[in-house]
Amino acid sequence: MQVFQHQVLVVGAGLAGLRAAIEAAQKYDVAVISRVHPVRSHSVSAQGGINASLKNHADGKDDSWEKHAFDTVKGSDYLADQDAAIIMAQDAPGCVYEMEHWGTLFSRFPDGRIAQRPFGGAGFPRTCYAADRTGHHLLHTLYEQSLKHQINVYEERLVTNIATENNRCHGLVALNMISGELELYAAPVVIVATGGSGRIYGNSTNALINTGSGAAAAYRAGAQLEDMEFIQFHPTTLLGTNILISEAARGEGGYLLNKDNERFMKKYMPQAMELGPRDIVARSIQTEIDEGRGFPGDYVHLDLRHLGEKKILELLPGIRLLAMDFAGVDPIHEPIPIQPGQHYTMGGIATSNDGHTRVQGLLAAGEAACVSVHGANRLGGNSLLDTLVFGRRSGSEAMRYLNENNPQPDHKLLQNFWEKEEKRIQTLLAGEGQEDYKELRHKMTQTLTHKVGVFRQEKELKEAVDILIGLRKRYPNVKIKNSSRAYNLELINALELEGMLNSAETVALGALNRTESRGSHSRIDFEKRDDGNWLRHTMAAYTEEGPEMSTKDVTITKFQPQERKY
Ligand SMILES: Cc1cc2nc3c(=O)[nH]c(=O)nc-3n(C[C@H](O)[C@H](O)[C@H](O)COP(=O)(O)OP(=O)(O)OC[C@H]3O[C@@H](n4cnc5c(N)ncnc54)[C@H](O)[C@@H]3O)c2cc1C
């Protein structure tokens, strides 16, 4: 058994994980563990941009952090914790300038200042960008910084479980995917920054590695999952593959058209049109499709032709290539066929504004976490910001916790923990189970896609919960055929399925319990927002018999809940 020891272990090498690691590395010995090489994390594929009230745009002179915070809270349908949203909006300009000083090549206005574009649900053009490859540039910048700080990265490791006892964190176990050995990592602080869980759905824009297995490991280790029913469906994903076509396409002036060539958004949001918040635009598209005004095959058109070749080549080169490679259309000459698809996990590991979960020494940041700044609906451009702001804060909180407590991991406990996990892996490799893991996974993704989608109702949600409970009960008996240790994808997939099923159940149960419509959660049997009963976060705690559900107050400080109009 290989044993590694560090003071801080960051799980995940996307923007949140690297930012946390760089912060804590100022003082402590930090290592990052990642399922893939850092620059292959999903952050690399972020397209449209990152929000900050820099006031660089001619129409953005009156912007401010207060207005950014307000748009965020309104966009969240008042479910965001307002103290957290305010911290994020206040820190945003500093974060963007820090990335610029570290080397990010932002697109610029002719006067040399960082360029900004309009984005959905925002009162001013405040989204900073690097063409339509913003995540690529940001992630490469942070990776360079991690090299400069000589942060140790363990790549191609799958963290399967986190060791906690008596509400304290001691370390974790990870499968070395290359050798197949199970490794033990001792550390008094673990920061989980494992990204979203989009792949629990069958129609997601997320990378294949975004299974949510890391957040689920934290959940099984005693942290709570918060607001998991709030799944963002992005309005514009490519027909068939669900690859993202950035909101920047509409930010730059793209139109949405139905089969009658009508700019249908005028019926739903006459003011904001295509630049409404994502939840409402996605519902509008889905309504057009459901009522027969989409094209056969369930899609509508995103038309960029009027923007002209020059603008498309300069500002949207990446999405042009995606449309050509994956849908066979060149947006300079033809409209892009699009449909809504799963895009973002608003919920996640419940944390304080400093990233702490309810377990000592166990922290979380980024899409895996729920601080909560996005509430019931995230605004485009706020997630990259969330990763940097709360990644840094969790790194800083890790230092404080170590300074004040000097916690030491319990090696005896870790040894037992490793042995239990090794036994589980050996059982899987022996291939004696009866259940086909692929069948279970397929049933889960189809259930969420078709029964817990853009529009939801009690009957289907109940069916979904029952199906998912059934799958959870079948999981311990899963079987794989490949018994070798080296790069065994079946083993990796079967191990990750456990966490996917954990998350899926909290999504469906949260959606069933929440008898109102708010943000991305749209119940056709409860069409109204119900602040009296549901201006509350959903909390899920792990038990072997399924999630134990409760609710928690929303923090309201500056902005009183109002009806949301665009
Ligand atoms: C196509 C696309 C475009 C987007 N565009 C934008 C945009 O323009 N603006 C915006 O604000 N947001 C955008 N988003 C959202 C945003 O990019 C993400 O929310 C954000 O980048 C997530 O960063 P993260 O650091 O939390 O996680 P990720 O970047 O997803 O990184 C997760 C890390 O965790 C590791 N990991 C996961 N599970 C395990 C495990 N079990 N063991 C070990 N390692 C593990 C992975 O290897 C990876 O390194 C976009 C998202 C997508 C999918």
Side-chain angles (χ1 to χ4, degrees):
M1 171 186 50
Q2 285 253 41
V3 185
F4 302 93
Q5 176 142 4
H6 295 280
Q7 285 166 308
V8 179
L9 273 175
V10 180
V11 189
L15 286 170
L18 290 182
R19 189 64 193 82
I22 290 165
E23 195 67 13
Q26 292 177 51
K27 182 147 182 219
Y28 288 100
D29 162 36
V30 179
V32 175
I33 306 186
S34 174
R35 198 185 183 303
V36 292
H37 183 277
V39 301
R40 298 192 68 84
S41 303
H42 187 61
S43 292
V44 85
S45 53
Q47 301 174 352
I50 173 167
N51 296 339
S53 55
L54 301 187
K55 305 197 255 195
N56 289 352
H57 194 286
D59 296 334
K61 300 259 181 294
D62 294 329
D63 202 5
S64 63
W65 69 257
E66 284 94 341
K67 288 172 182 160
H68 183 180
F70 172 71
D71 288 344
T72 301
V73 169
K74 180 180 171 191
S76 81
D77 221 345
Y78 293 89
L79 196 70
D81 286 323
Q82 297 185 8
D83 51 347
I86 287 171
I87 289 173
M88 185 173 80
Q90 282 176 329
D91 281 5
C95 247
V96 168
Y97 288 133
E98 179 173 73
M99 293 305 291
E100 185 201 26
H101 295 166
W102 283 349
T104 300
L105 294 167
F106 285 105
S107 296
R108 288 174 187 277
F109 286 136
D111 66 3
R113 289 177 307 157
I114 294 174
Q116 296 187 278
R117 58 168 47 127
F119 244 51
F124 296 94
R126 69 166 74 92
T127 305
C128 312
Y129 57 95
D132 57 359
R133 299 188 178 110
T134 313
H136 180 103
H137 289 273
L138 292 172
L139 190 61
H140 280 255
T141 304
L142 282 192
Y143 182 56
E144 285 167 9
Q145 291 296 316
S146 75
L147 294 176
K148 178 175 154 190
H149 288 86
Q150 298 183 326
I151 293 168
N152 195 351
V153 181
Y154 297 93
E155 286 163 28
E156 311 219 6
R157 306 306 209 272
L158 179 77
V159 172
T160 57
N161 269 309
I162 298 170
T164 55
E165 196 180 60
N166 297 331
N167 206 36
R168 201 155 75 74
C169 179
H170 297 269
L172 50 82
V173 285
L175 182 74
N176 179 328
M177 291 160 50
I178 304 165
S179 67
E181 297 306 317
L182 185 70
E183 297 169 342
L184 179 59
Y185 293 78
V189 175
V190 170
I191 303 179
V192 179
T194 47
S197 54
R199 286 286 160 179
I200 59 175
Y201 277 77
N203 59 340
S204 176
T205 63
N206 285 197
L208 294 173
I209 55 171
N210 286 16
T211 60
S213 63
Y219 170 60
R220 292 192 300 272
Q224 286 176 301
L225 292 181
E226 179 171 347
D227 289 338
M228 290 296 284
E229 64 271 32
F230 295 102
I231 297 289
Q232 179 159 80
F233 296 92
H234 196 288
T236 61
T237 78
L238 268 190
L239 173 64
T241 55
N242 297 107
I243 293 171
L244 183 75
I245 298 297
S246 171
E247 187 164 310
R250 282 171 289 132
E252 296 298 346
Y255 296 155
L256 289 170
L257 301 170
N258 63 19
K259 78 171 177 12
D260 307 319
N261 216 30
E262 178 197 14
R263 263 182 90 186
F264 55 84
M265 285 310 302
K266 65 175 186 273
K267 290 183 290 195
Y268 303 95
M269 282 185 290
Q271 304 280 321
M273 294 292 286
E274 281 86 356
L275 279 181
R278 290 179 177 173
D279 53 342
I280 305 182
V281 182
R283 278 197 289 277
S284 309
I285 296 175
Q286 195 61 48
T287 304
E288 292 296 300
I289 293 172
D290 292 348
E291 293 181 357
R293 293 182 297 278
F295 293 91
D298 293 345
Y299 64 95
V300 297
H301 275 156
L302 173 63
D303 197 347
L304 307 182
R305 288 174 295 182
H306 56 284
L307 302 181
E309 183 169 352
K310 184 167 175 292
K311 197 166 181 183
I312 293 176
L313 291 180
E314 189 182 322
L315 297 175
L316 304 166
I319 68 137
R320 174 172 179 252
L321 291 180
L322 289 172
M324 294 198 318
D325 290 346
F326 293 96
V329 304
D330 180 348
I332 295 175
H333 305 295
E334 293 154 284
I336 311 172
I338 56 93
Q339 58 189 184
Q342 191 290 343
H343 179 57
Y344 185 81
T345 313
M346 259 84 71
I349 304 164
T351 70
S352 68
N353 293 343
D354 297 319
H356 236 117
T357 68
R358 64 178 188 174
V359 179
Q360 286 181 52
L362 182 58
L363 286 75
E367 193 172 335
C370 180
V371 182
S372 119
V373 282
H374 310 300
N377 172 62
R378 169 177 77 87
L379 295 186
N382 265 354
S383 170
L384 292 179
L385 180 60
D386 165 4
T387 64
L388 297 178
V389 169
F390 294 99
R392 181 178 67 72
R393 290 177 76 91
S394 62
S396 163
E397 170 67 9
M399 290 197 286
R400 186 204 60 78
Y401 174 72
L402 287 171
N403 280 343
E404 288 178 12
N405 300 284
N406 190 26
Q408 300 299 326
D410 177 338
H411 287 270
K412 182 97 191 44
L413 176 148
L414 283 166
Q415 174 78 27
N416 292 339
F417 189 74
W418 180 89
E419 279 165 15
K420 210 169 134 207
E421 190 73 348
E422 173 65 14
K423 216 163 148 198
R424 185 164 86 106
I425 288 175
Q426 283 180 10
T427 309
L428 268 171
L429 289 172
E432 283 159 8
Q434 306 298 317
E435 300 282 0
D436 181 351
Y437 78 92
K438 295 190 288 305
E439 190 191 310
L440 265 59
R441 180 171 169 153
H442 183 71
K443 187 91 188 144
M444 168 193 69
T445 57
Q446 293 311 302
T447 301
L448 288 181
T449 308
H450 298 295
K451 296 185 191 291
V452 199
V454 174
F455 292 110
R456 302 164 171 188
Q457 58 180 309
E458 184 179 86
K459 179 174 168 291
E460 290 175 357
L461 291 171
K462 270 195 176 142
E463 287 165 6
V465 169
D466 287 344
I467 293 170
L468 292 166
I469 291 173
L471 295 177
R472 160 163 52 82
K473 291 188 175 152
R474 287 163 67 188
Y475 177 79
N477 199 18
V478 287
K479 154 178 89 180
I480 59 174
K481 292 190 193 129
N482 182 351
S483 61
S484 74
R485 284 262 180 177
Y487 231 108
N488 186 339
L489 289 174
E490 278 200 315
L491 176 63
I492 294 164
N493 289 339
L495 286 169
E496 285 206 286
L497 180 60
E498 180 184 25
M500 296 176 94
L501 290 169
N502 293 152
S503 310
E505 199 175 340
T506 62
V507 172
L509 195 54
L512 174 64
N513 288 355
R514 189 174 281 274
T515 47
E516 66 159 354
S517 291
R518 182 186 298 273
S520 66
H521 173 68
S522 182
R523 290 278 303 249
I524 56 179
D525 43 358
F526 296 92
E527 287 184 338
K528 292 236 150 40
R529 191 174 90 191
D530 177 2
D531 284 350
N533 291 307
W534 283 109
L535 187 54
R536 302 186 68 73
H537 296 293
T538 299
M539 310 300 285
Y542 177 83
T543 79
E544 281 184 9
E545 291 74 46
E548 196 177 271
M549 307 299 276
S550 58
T551 64
K552 190 182 91 176
D553 284 345
V554 176
T555 308
I556 293 173
T557 57
K558 211 172 156 65
F559 311 109
Q560 281 312 305
Q562 310 165 9
E563 194 193 339
R564 212 164 139 241
K565 284 194 190 138
Y566 289 94

